[in-house]
Amino acid sequence: MPSLRVALAQVNSTVGDIPGNAAAVRHWTRTAAEAGAQLVAFPEMMITGYPIEDLVFRDSFVAASQAALHTLAADLAADGLGDVAVIVGYVDSDGPAPTDSAALPGTGRRDASALLLGGEIVATYFKHHLPNYGVFDEDRYFEPGDSLTVVRLGGVDVALTVCEDVWQAGGPFAAAGRAGVGLVVNINASPYELDKDDVRLPLVKRRAAEAGATVAYVNMVGGQDELVFDGDSMIVTAEGELLTRAGQFTSELLIHDLELPAASYTSNPSGDAGAAPRASAVAPLGEQRADDGMGIERVAAGTALRPLVDGPAVGGIAERVTDEAEIWSALTLGLHDYVEKNGFRSVVLGLSGGIDSAVVAAIAVDAIGAQRVVGVSMPSGYSSGHSRDDAAELAKRTGLDYRSEPIQPMVDAFLANMSLSGLAVENLQARVRGVILMALSNQEGHLVLTTGNKSELAVGYSTLYGDSVGGFNPLKDVPKTMVWRLAKWRNADAARRGGEPPIPENSIIKPPSAELRPGQVDSDSLPDYDVLDAILAGYIDGDQGHDDLIAAGHDAALVDRILRLVDLAEYKRRQSAPGTKISIKAFGRDRRLPITNRFREGTRQDS
Amino acid sequence: MPSLRVALAQVNSTVGDIPGNAAAVRHWTRTAAEAGAQLVAFPEMMITGYPIEDLVFRDSFVAASQAALHTLAADLAADGLGDVAVIVGYVDSDGPAPTDSAALPGTGRRDASALLLGGEIVATYFKHHLPNYGVFDEDRYFEPGDSLTVVRLGGVDVALTVCEDVWQAGGPFAAAGRAGVGLVVNINASPYELDKDDVRLPLVKRRAAEAGATVAYVNMVGGQDELVFDGDSMIVTAEGELLTRAGQFTSELLIHDLELPAASYTSNPSGDAGAAPRASAVAPLGEQRADDGMGIERVAAGTALRPLVDGPAVGGIAERVTDEAEIWSALTLGLHDYVEKNGFRSVVLGLSGGIDSAVVAAIAVDAIGAQRVVGVSMPSGYSSGHSRDDAAELAKRTGLDYRSEPIQPMVDAFLANMSLSGLAVENLQARVRGVILMALSNQEGHLVLTTGNKSELAVGYSTLYGDSVGGFNPLKDVPKTMVWRLAKWRNADAARRGGEPPIPENSIIKPPSAELRPGQVDSDSLPDYDVLDAILAGYIDGDQGHDDLIAAGHDAALVDRILRLVDLAEYKRRQSAPGTKISIKAFGRDRRLPITNRFREGTRQDS
């Protein structure tokens, strides 16, 4: 059986940084080649970053992606890497974008994979299954391909596929089975969700069985706005054996030697298709089309792969970690990449002494270092002594840049000039804090972090333009109960490593309060967070209605009240800061609801 | 030839108000019946409102829509309207929503049209062409139907279609041609865009020719979040003659007598399908399926239509209006419906004396009346005398509730406690104004209107959480040059009607300024707005790149600067208030771009 040393390049690309992403391909290909790799696979849309959204409609952008691919093929050869096969994702085009999208439903754009070898683009493949659910809008952007590309490489038939192709039965993997390929390479930009890694391995096993071939699954790593990609690349045999698996949230090369069946397909009776490829250019080996509409196109490259040296190369199998560790890594990487890819030098956030701001501060310190994190205590007349103490203690433990800006003089100036009472005074305090943070941002150049957790965002327990101000929110998709779990995990993890737990114990154990009026605590307005979060999970993540939630054992009056709060807070969420998605359904593109919406769960609709 | 009196109910539904929408169907059906109508057609998704977005995934919502349709059929019969055929849009379902959308790409939901007669649901049709571009995500929500429904009604074969079906050749209208129907009823929720009405008539003519039948096109009217629906319902013959056409932005019944060819299809050689329908229930008349996959299902109802009385009923042909009049109506209705459907009693906005706030105030007064509009002058030390005078003059002319809240004491309180300079001080002033408006909103219950025009939003010429605060922005999709045109048009229109022009002439002619530092004018930072708006139209609406814009005659350095400003302001737009879409590409769901995006037009991407 032929051997092939495969490297899965689980690396980080940046949306729109076409030169930087192409340079990363060259860098990682050189590193992989130094380890003897013959085939290096990069993630979906490596050249452009992912998701590029409506940039796909700009001809200049798509042309740049296509030009970069050609240049990259030549550059790799010039680098002395022309005998390494490189599989890389990019955006392709059938021609200029239609000027009138309503008149022409097709976009002519392709979510494409290319195989580069010998300075040439040997083969391309267009993604067949386009996801158009959750955060994905790929029917908006791409035309589906309807043909599987099979490349003869080192005597092995290798099929190219992209991301969603692996999530659905039929189509490319079924075609790979018909084609009798030895290896299917599936390149991904598959966003992180808690527990998604538990789904991936059985999924890849199912597709490997369907194709009757080894599957090499490579996923991107890194943050892009509200998405974070976790890697978790792997190779699984047709029999379902996991050969190697990368970690989550790590940039790495996963290198492994594969014994693969020799290519046997021949396009003519003389049987020369299995022979060595011709000396130059690309040789088509045949084309088939099946009843399901999925065709097969076969090619061989004119350049032989470099020979296998040393060995064997064996990738490890990364251990799975706890939910809290996984989420902490996701939030840390998501924030890190938002800061770095957008060119911020530092971040600023308000430190209330409460759990949310403490956890965000700890995430920020882990993401970019304490010297780049400014924490501001902004006490009012209603702030308890422990609030200031807990904030100061957090600052001391983490080493962040700590300041204090008492808000009372500014609040008093408003109160002296306007007639305000009740909720208006409460919100005024939060808004004065927002103005202070934004002034520091304008004056000193920090990115403002906001700290409202998913439970608060759900029920609207926040002040618009007050505590909600900020360019990024690490906790946007984290329920309050998980915020506490993260805090405890992070402290325990520090203790395990012999370091100082960053989050003051008092911030974890005290009852949560917005401290906007004397003696206020969250439980004045909201049920216990374990009760609240269970209702929210059913309503938001599960699309359960009133009756489903009652049937699940929740109190009917409470369900009515919470669901109404969630519905009425849609206008606030629409103006909220982006934040890293970690759940099956995050606020934002994942959950698209009208603001104007008179549907009320639990009321009769037919009278 | 049989005659049919058709009423197109160009009416306003509200998302989620299923009981209210069903009541509206009963009300308008009664009114149409009193005018002798035999067939009344309501818009797409009349029962639920449109667009319902992710509400479609909630089983409780879809079940309520289906239940309301059954109840409605019975209620119409109980109202004595059982002999009027009513065509109405709703959401249908093949069963409960899939719990795992990734595993099951199909949603099982249908964008459906039903024909009600004799207390029964006689026929249903599922939309075939699903738009998934622009503001539409219908591949996310619905399964496409693959069969045309033809109902024999008063001796005429009537085909049911929905919205996008009329925008694409082939599919249902081609099937209608094969089926030899006499009338195609196309129910719509087609959002307003400037000049869309110019496209609709030729479009309907093309489809009428394709079907070889008269087409009755009925469109919704009203505002829903960022969309406004303009009506423009019409009836066009197979030969392309426009018989009648409703106005834009008006709720009305368009009633017209049609002479239509008698149904001739017969499912068996004895030819009894053309005979009078049986005494009860629904009789299937046959089923065909063509090579393009589009089937035809034919039914006849068991209840005869009420006889035609009096007559003839002749609908008029509404005159087209100027662009400015059309846009003014769109913005007024969009704001009116956002206020009313969300239950606000009043609105508040800052009056700077400038053109943007003056136009928004005039729109608000036209939309909901001066007694429900609060205007607040918030002068600073940098405010010119004319700013206050122009704001006061606007208030006097329109009769809105006028207040003054000088900002200097609050600004000084911040400056005394923080070390701020330059841009931080400019933005501070805008943010103090934002806090004042939000305090008034909290204290008195007003919806805050923000007034940034599309040109400003494009280049980020605004202060986040400052002048951008607000729940709704009437000018969000209106370029600055159009703001001036609207002001001039509104004043001239008032003069034509013998009323007082609402907008002070000085607000129109003076150079625009943010007045955040001494002597500041917009032209310090930006090119003339006619130059700016032309570049923005190319880059945003037209997806033109750097080279296209240079080729169009724009200055290269200016193009680079403006495009960079647009790219860098994406984070501000992501937190901006909703506002009525009037252009081919509005900020928001219409234009989805990443915040993190290093692509820079005009720089080399391949090195």
Side-chain angles (χ1 to χ4, degrees), chain B residues 153-224:
Chain B
L153 212 62
V156 177
D157 276 344
V158 178
L160 307 184
T161 64
V162 179
C163 202
E164 186 76 5
D165 291 337
V166 85
W167 286 86
Q168 298 187 33
F173 279 80
R178 287 199 302 273
V181 307
L183 177 66
V184 182
V185 177
N186 181 246
I187 65 174
N188 289 264
S190 176
Y192 171 73
E193 286 171 12
L194 182 61
D195 300 334
K196 199 177 196 179
D197 58 326
D198 302 336
V199 178
R200 273 197 196 107
L201 178 56
L203 178 78
V204 174
K205 286 182 178 179
R206 282 200 299 278
R207 282 301 98 69
E210 185 179 10
T214 297
V215 174
Y217 172 103
V218 59
N219 189 21
M220 175 176 152
V221 70
Q224 168 61 26

Side-chain angles (χ1 to χ4, degrees), chain A residues 45-121:
Chain A
M45 289 282 185
M46 178 70 203
I47 299 290
T48 58
Y50 183 93
I52 57 174
E53 307 186 47
D54 281 11
L55 287 169
V56 81
F57 297 131
R58 215 178 301 153
D59 289 332
S60 54
F61 184 88
V62 177
S65 169
Q66 293 172 292
L69 187 73
H70 281 88
T71 305
L72 176 62
D75 286 347
L76 286 167
D79 290 346
L81 302 167
D83 55 358
V84 178
V86 172
I87 294 174
V88 61
Y90 70 107
V91 59
D92 207 332
S93 174
D94 302 342
T99 52
D100 178 355
S101 61
L104 287 174
T107 66
R109 309 306 203 195
R110 307 290 189 159
D111 185 337
S113 176
L115 189 142
L116 313 180
L117 184 65
E120 291 181 293
I121 300 169

Side-chain angles (χ1 to χ4, degrees), chain A residues 14-19 51-55 57-61 64 67-68 71 75 101-102 105 132-137 139-141 164 167-168 224-225 337-338 340-342 405 409-410 413-414 417-421 423-424 427-428 431-432 435-436 438-440 442-443 464-465 468-471 539 543-546 567 571 574-578 585 589-601 604-607, chain B residues 14-19 51-55 57-61 64 67-68 71 75 101-102 105 132-137 139-141 164 167-168 224-225 337-338 340-342 405 409-410 413-414 417-421 423-424 427-428 431-432 435-436 438-440 442-443 464-465 468-471 539 543-546 567 571 574-578 585 589-601 604-607:
Chain A
T14 298
V15 164
D17 187 7
I18 293 175
I52 57 174
E53 307 186 47
D54 281 11
L55 287 169
F57 297 131
R58 215 178 301 153
D59 289 332
S60 54
F61 184 88
T71 305
D75 286 347
S101 61
N132 203 69
Y133 53 81
V135 299
F136 304 108
D137 289 315
D139 285 344
R140 176 183 177 91
Y141 297 125
E164 186 77 5
W167 286 87
Q168 298 186 33
Q224 169 61 28
D225 290 351
D337 276 12
Y338 192 85
E340 296 298 341
K341 292 180 178 180
N342 285 293
E405 291 282 357
M410 297 78 138
F414 284 95
N417 287 281
M418 301 182 74
S419 295
L420 302 179
S421 58
L423 184 68
N427 283 335
L428 172 63
R431 293 201 177 100
V432 165
V435 173
I436 290 172
M438 293 308 296
L440 288 172
N442 287 153
Q443 190 68 33
L464 192 55
Y465 320 126
S468 73
V469 308
Y539 190 51
D543 278 316
Q544 294 182 345
H546 172 90
D567 291 348
Y571 78 100
R574 205 61 72 86
Q575 296 189 36
S576 64
K585 194 176 287 184
R589 297 212 176 150
D590 223 1
R591 181 179 186 267
R592 308 177 189 180
L593 281 175
I595 297 174
T596 304
N597 169 21
R598 288 204 186 149
F599 187 67
R600 294 290 168 259
E601 287 284 347
R604 282 185 64 89
Q605 297 295 328
D606 57 350
S607 57
Chain B
T14 298
V15 164
D17 187 8
I18 293 175
I52 56 173
E53 306 186 46
D54 282 10
L55 286 170
F57 297 131
R58 213 179 301 153
D59 289 332
S60 55
F61 185 88
T71 306
D75 285 346
S101 61
N132 203 68
Y133 53 80
V135 299
F136 303 108
D137 288 315
D139 285 343
R140 176 183 178 89
Y141 297 126
E164 186 76 5
W167 286 86
Q168 298 187 33
Q224 168 61 26
D225 290 352
D337 276 12
Y338 193 84
E340 297 297 341
K341 292 179 180 181
N342 285 292
E405 292 281 356
M410 295 76 135
F414 283 94
N417 288 280
M418 301 182 74
S419 295
L420 302 178
S421 60
L423 185 68
N427 284 335
L428 173 63
R431 292 202 177 101
V432 165
V435 174
I436 290 171
M438 292 309 296
L440 288 172
N442 286 153
Q443 190 68 33
L464 192 56
Y465 322 125
S468 72
V469 309
Y539 189 52
D543 278 315
Q544 294 182 346
H546 173 89
D567 291 347
Y571 78 100
R574 204 62 72 84
Q575 297 189 37
S576 64
K585 194 176 289 185
R589 296 212 176 151
D590 225 0
R591 181 180 188 268
R592 308 177 190 181
L593 282 176
I595 297 174
T596 304
N597 169 21
R598 288 204 186 148
F599 187 68
R600 293 291 168 259
E601 287 283 349
R604 282 186 62 88
Q605 299 294 329
D606 58 350
S607 58

Side-chain angles (χ1 to χ4, degrees), chain B residues 365-387:
Chain B
V365 167
D366 284 359
I368 58 171
Q371 71 288 356
R372 297 171 67 188
V373 179
V374 179
V376 188
S377 170
M378 294 176 284
S380 76
Y382 303 130
S383 297
S384 54
H386 63 73
S387 293

